[in-house]
């Protein structure tokens, strides 16, 4: 008896490599998050982001760092105090360039897990959310590199904020709040909202965006308080 012919096996979409995933963050994030939902990788993209952060920290111009330090110190600060603060800032900047992104991604993934699994009863894994957030954070790293490039080119502090489009802001709390809003952070929020929609099909991207924007506004609001970080 002859064996019945087998149905042709399905050809699942080939999982994109690191370079392809980087491109997908900017041109087809929805498809990327579908891939990451099924295979939540993150190590390679995290290593890349940490390396780029270290490069950005090392490339920060001395004059730009001095402007930042002088803006945070009392007007009567001694030159020796400023130099000491700059040395500390350089060291601390390198530490943050290594630890800042992994910690931030871990916190964001935890916040999403708390909202959509614990509160709303979803079934995603922490690794899925961590993987999606790791890739979404690429836009923040690119924004940081662009800012460093503008600092090197212009020699002055650069603020990539929609607050720049509003004339006559003055110097009050509202001005500080608006100028601390980062366009790349808003882009990051949009990507995270899209990731939520793909990982939790029953949830809307709009609801996720509203949730994340509220949290981001709280962080920016605290930082805009005089003396805020």
């Amino acid at each position: 008896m002859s064996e019945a012919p087998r149905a042709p096996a399905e050809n699942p979409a080939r999982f994109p490599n690191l370079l392809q995933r980087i491109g997908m963050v900017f041109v087809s994030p929805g498809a990327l998050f579908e891939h990451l939902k099924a295979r939540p990788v993150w190590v390679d993209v995290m290593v890349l982001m940490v390396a780029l952060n270290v490069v950005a920290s090392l490339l920060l111009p001395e004059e730009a760092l001095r402007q930042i330090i002088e803006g945070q110190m009392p007007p009567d600060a001694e030159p020796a105090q400023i130099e000491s603060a700059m040395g500390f800032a350089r060291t601390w900047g390198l530490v943050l360039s290594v630890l800042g992104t992994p910690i931030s991604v871990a916190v964001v993934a935890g916040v999403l897990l708390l909202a959509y699994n614990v509160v709303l009863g979803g079934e995603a894994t922490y690794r899925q959310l961590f993987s999606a957030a790791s890739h979404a954070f690429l836009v923040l790293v690119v924004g940081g590199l662009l800012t460093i490039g503008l600092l090197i080119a212009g020699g002055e502090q650069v603020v990539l904020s929609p607050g720049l489009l509003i004339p006559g802001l003055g110097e009050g709390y509202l001005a500080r709040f608006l100028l601390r809003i980062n366009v790349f952070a808003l882009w990051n929020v949009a990507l995270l909202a899209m990731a939520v929609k793909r990982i939790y099909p029953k949830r809307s991207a709009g609801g996720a965006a509203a949730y994340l924007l509220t949290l981001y506004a709280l962080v920016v609001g605290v930082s805009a308080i005089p003396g805020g970080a």
Side-chain angles (χ1 to χ4, degrees), residues 6-197:
R6 296 181 181 179
E10 293 185 4
N11 293 322
R14 182 170 174 268
F15 189 81
N17 60 35
L18 176 59
L19 289 178
Q20 290 170 327
R21 280 181 276 131
I22 292 172
M24 292 175 76
V25 168
F26 299 95
V27 299
S28 56
L32 171 63
F33 294 134
E34 288 288 355
H35 282 293
L36 297 177
K37 180 180 179 180
R39 184 180 170 188
V41 300
W42 59 271
V43 175
D44 52 0
V45 72
M46 184 64 71
V47 170
L48 173 64
M49 288 193 294
V50 169
L52 292 176
N53 284 336
V54 170
V55 170
S57 179
L58 294 174
L59 290 177
L60 179 64
E62 194 78 8
E63 188 56 35
L65 179 62
R66 184 179 299 277
Q67 289 180 20
I68 295 171
I69 296 298
E70 290 177 347
Q72 295 177 349
M73 297 191 72
D76 57 349
E78 297 290 335
Q81 293 176 301
I82 296 175
E83 293 300 323
S84 176
M86 287 182 62
F88 177 80
R90 280 289 186 191
T91 302
W92 185 238
L94 281 173
V95 172
L96 284 180
S97 65
V98 174
L99 300 179
T101 298
I103 292 174
S104 298
V105 169
V107 170
V108 167
V111 166
L112 291 174
L113 190 76
L114 176 64
Y116 290 95
N117 274 37
V118 178
V119 177
L120 297 176
E123 297 181 351
T125 66
Y126 181 78
R127 183 172 178 176
Q128 287 175 316
L129 295 169
F130 190 92
S131 172
S134 296
H135 288 76
F137 266 61
L138 271 169
V139 299
L140 294 178
V141 175
V142 170
L145 290 171
L146 177 58
T147 301
I148 294 296
L150 292 174
L151 283 170
I152 293 173
E156 296 182 359
Q157 292 188 51
V158 179
V159 181
L160 299 175
S161 168
L164 294 174
L165 302 177
I166 304 175
L169 275 178
E171 299 180 355
Y173 176 82
L174 179 60
R176 291 194 300 273
F177 177 85
L178 293 175
L179 289 174
R180 278 169 171 74
I181 295 175
N182 187 303
V183 293
F184 290 97
L186 297 179
W187 188 355
N188 185 44
V189 165
L191 289 174
L192 290 169
M194 189 178 300
V196 167
K197 174 61 180 174

Side-chain angles (χ1 to χ4, degrees), residues 173 177 181 211-223:
Y173 176 82
F177 177 85
I181 295 175
Y211 170 59
L212 292 165
L213 283 172
T214 299
L215 295 179
Y216 179 59
L218 288 173
V219 172
V220 174
V222 171
S223 74

